[in-house]
Amino acid sequence: MVSPVDIEVVNRQLASVAEEMGIVLQRSAFSANIKERRDFSCAVFDGAGRLLAQAAHIPVHLGAMPLTVERVLARRRPGPGDVVLTNDPFLGGTHLPDLTLVAGVFAGAADREPLFYLVTRAHHADVGGRTPGSMGLARRIEDEGVRIPPVALVRGGRLDREVLDGFLARVRNPAEREGDLRAQLAALERGRRRLLDLVGREGPESFCRKLPPLLDYGERVMRAAVSALPDGEYRFEDALDDDGLGSRPVPIRVRLLVRGDEAVVDFGASAGQVETGLNTVRSVTCSAVAYVFFCLAGGDYPLNHGSLRPIEVRTRPGSLLDARPPAPVAAGNVETSQRIVDCLLGALAQAAPDRVPAAACGSMNNVAVGGPGGGAGGSGYAYYETIGGGMGAGPGVPGLSGVQVHMTNTRNTPVEALEQAYPFRVERYGFRRGSGGRGAFRGGEGIVRRYRFLEPATVTLLTERRRLAPWGLRGGGPGLRGRNLYFPASGGRTRVLPGKVVIQVAPGDVLEVRTPGGGGWGAPPPGRRGGPR
């Protein structure tokens, strides 16, 4: 008999392993994207490949990991001392810059069956492709960068230089890429030692006896959260601004069915695949759904395989939310995932109107910059970051300002760290006053971030909510739409850039990104222009 106290203790122990892995990864990494922004995630799985625990890292990474592990184990199950590398979105990945490492944890060198699997996933600033940062408006996934099926990066404890060198030969700044990969390997080793220490205190059989009850507890909590919703069918439609080629809005439609303690989330009526990387793979769609239901459950309870049992996700193969190769998918992971969340929250607002917030800024506001200098062997540099925005106001609470929302959980890159490493400057960084939606409770404000480039560079912008504003709820007003402005050093006319664009900049050119605010919640009282901030 496993007691509730035992379940709570083992949950905290496993989560602490994932957290410690993340600390090692962050402190060992080379790139600003990982060591400053913390664009990585770590998790622990059982020997059957079921999610046991995860650190509080990146939602879009973590929710997709179960499918990644499933596909890896089906193709290249790691043995003792092995580490499998993959980034293939069509095999449970997210997008190509997210390199995932999977390793088994074995009680002894002679054991063939693992006690656990450990996973690290980190967004690398570049994985090749046509544009620096690997986030351009490609038409095929091959143009977005190196696509790696599950392959053994480490075999029996020895690094496979042929595999590593084959990857490094196809990316910008290979020294930085190798440093970040080695940081991921260090995180796996720390997790392995910590797990073996935990198991060694009471023996593998005794420790692992607690794992099925842990999964069952996660399931019970989620079923309780779903059963608190009224039975029924709830529909909502939202849309991406466009596909990056000037198209009309690209619709995302959800049908949420609640029956007792189970829910079906059906996206089958959403748009078909598009030509650019706004497509998502099924694992990202499932990740967004998992995030929303974890938020619905709330509280400090296990987020594991059991938690996902009551939720069924339906997608249409070959659609925007379940793309098929050779579709590009770089932006789907960062932008379309955000709109999936907005759409599902819109449906849940009908079922639980006093629990769901208005739409947040709805974009990760991605900026990728690259140029010929700074790379080992003249390979060039690549820099990537996301910019926060306004959070939607909720029942009784205003939205937070200038934060990363929903599917991202990264930090900002400190200006000092950015300017020390790259040939551009940040001339302005602050709140975008007045951008939050009005209401009884106001939406959070967006951010203004202004860059001046010191050398020629290629700049990629992947941003949303530049045409369609973040919506308010219960009479609240929409948040202000975002804007991307380009000021040429030559003194020419200021340009309003599209939401998704690749441009060449010259020394002295300025780019200003103004991110959207969050939607307001509730109609403001008569005579008032908006609620508290």
Side-chain angles (χ1 to χ4, degrees), residues 358-508:
C361 71
S363 177
M364 295 191 196
N365 303 292
N366 305 267
V367 180
V369 184
S379 61
Y381 74 91
Y383 172 75
Y384 169 76
E385 72 174 0
T386 60
I387 308 174
M391 181 179 289
V397 291
L400 297 176
S401 296
V403 293
Q404 304 281 355
V405 298
H406 295 322
M407 297 305 287
T408 180
N409 189 31
T410 56
R411 297 177 176 178
N412 72 304
T413 305
V415 172
E416 298 84 355
L418 183 154
E419 294 184 346
Q420 181 183 33
Y422 303 103
F424 47 97
R425 298 287 179 261
V426 177
E427 294 189 337
R428 182 182 177 189
Y429 187 37
F431 291 135
R432 187 185 181 197
R433 297 300 182 187
S435 57
R438 298 174 180 176
F441 297 92
R442 294 202 62 154
E445 295 180 329
I447 283 175
V448 178
R449 193 157 167 97
R450 185 182 178 101
Y451 310 82
R452 183 178 295 274
F453 301 97
L454 307 181
E455 296 180 2
T458 301
V459 179
T460 300
L461 293 176
L462 290 177
T463 63
E464 269 288 323
R465 294 297 194 196
R466 268 55 182 176
R467 292 184 179 180
L468 305 176
W471 38 264
L473 275 179
R474 306 292 294 274
L480 198 63
R481 294 174 295 174
R483 289 192 95 194
N484 306 324
L485 301 176
Y486 171 63
F487 305 88
S490 62
R493 183 172 56 88
T494 300
R495 290 166 52 195
V496 179
L497 297 175
K500 307 162 191 73
V501 68
V502 179
I503 60 172
Q504 304 299 319
V505 298

Side-chain angles (χ1 to χ4, degrees), residues 154-176:
V154 178
R155 300 173 186 268
R158 295 177 63 88
L159 184 69
D160 190 321
R161 285 301 318 187
E162 183 177 353
V163 170
L164 178 60
D165 291 345
F167 166 69
L168 297 178
R170 301 172 65 186
V171 304
R172 299 168 183 87
N173 200 346
E176 186 176 88

Side-chain angles (χ1 to χ4, degrees), residues 104-121:
V105 177
F106 297 81
D111 289 358
R112 307 313 303 171
E113 295 298 324
L115 297 172
F116 305 97
Y117 288 101
L118 293 172
V119 183
T120 66
R121 172 169 282 163

Side-chain angles (χ1 to χ4, degrees), residues 259-465:
R259 297 288 185 271
D261 60 2
E262 296 184 343
V264 176
V265 184
D266 187 348
F267 293 103
S270 297
Q273 248 171 241
V274 297
E275 290 189 56
T276 57
L278 274 296
N279 302 296
T280 68
V281 287
R282 177 176 166 81
S283 54
V284 169
T285 300
C286 292
S287 186
V289 172
Y291 163 79
V292 170
F293 276 92
F294 286 159
C295 291
L296 183 70
D300 184 17
Y301 85 96
L303 308 179
N304 57 38
H305 174 82
S307 308
L308 304 175
R309 290 171 184 161
I311 313 298
E312 179 186 349
V313 180
R314 296 177 183 174
T315 55
R316 189 177 83 254
S319 68
L320 178 74
L321 305 189
D322 190 352
R324 290 292 184 262
V329 297
N333 178 66
V334 290
E335 294 301 288
T336 308
S337 67
Q338 297 281 60
R339 196 64 69 256
I340 297 170
V341 170
D342 288 343
C343 196
L344 184 50
L345 285 175
L348 280 171
Q350 301 166 40
D354 294 323
R355 297 181 60 190
V356 176
C361 71
S363 177
M364 295 191 196
N365 303 292
N366 305 267
V367 180
V369 184
S379 61
Y381 74 91
Y383 172 75
Y384 169 76
E385 72 174 0
T386 60
I387 308 174
M391 181 179 289
V397 291
L400 297 176
S401 296
V403 293
Q404 304 281 355
V405 298
H406 295 322
M407 297 305 287
T408 180
N409 189 31
T410 56
R411 297 177 176 178
N412 72 304
T413 305
V415 172
E416 298 84 355
L418 183 154
E419 294 184 346
Q420 181 183 33
Y422 303 103
F424 47 97
R425 298 287 179 261
V426 177
E427 294 189 337
R428 182 182 177 189
Y429 187 37
F431 291 135
R432 187 185 181 197
R433 297 300 182 187
S435 57
R438 298 174 180 176
F441 297 92
R442 294 202 62 154
E445 295 180 329
I447 283 175
V448 178
R449 193 157 167 97
R450 185 182 178 101
Y451 310 82
R452 183 178 295 274
F453 301 97
L454 307 181
E455 296 180 2
T458 301
V459 179
T460 300
L461 293 176
L462 290 177
T463 63
E464 269 288 323
R465 294 297 194 196

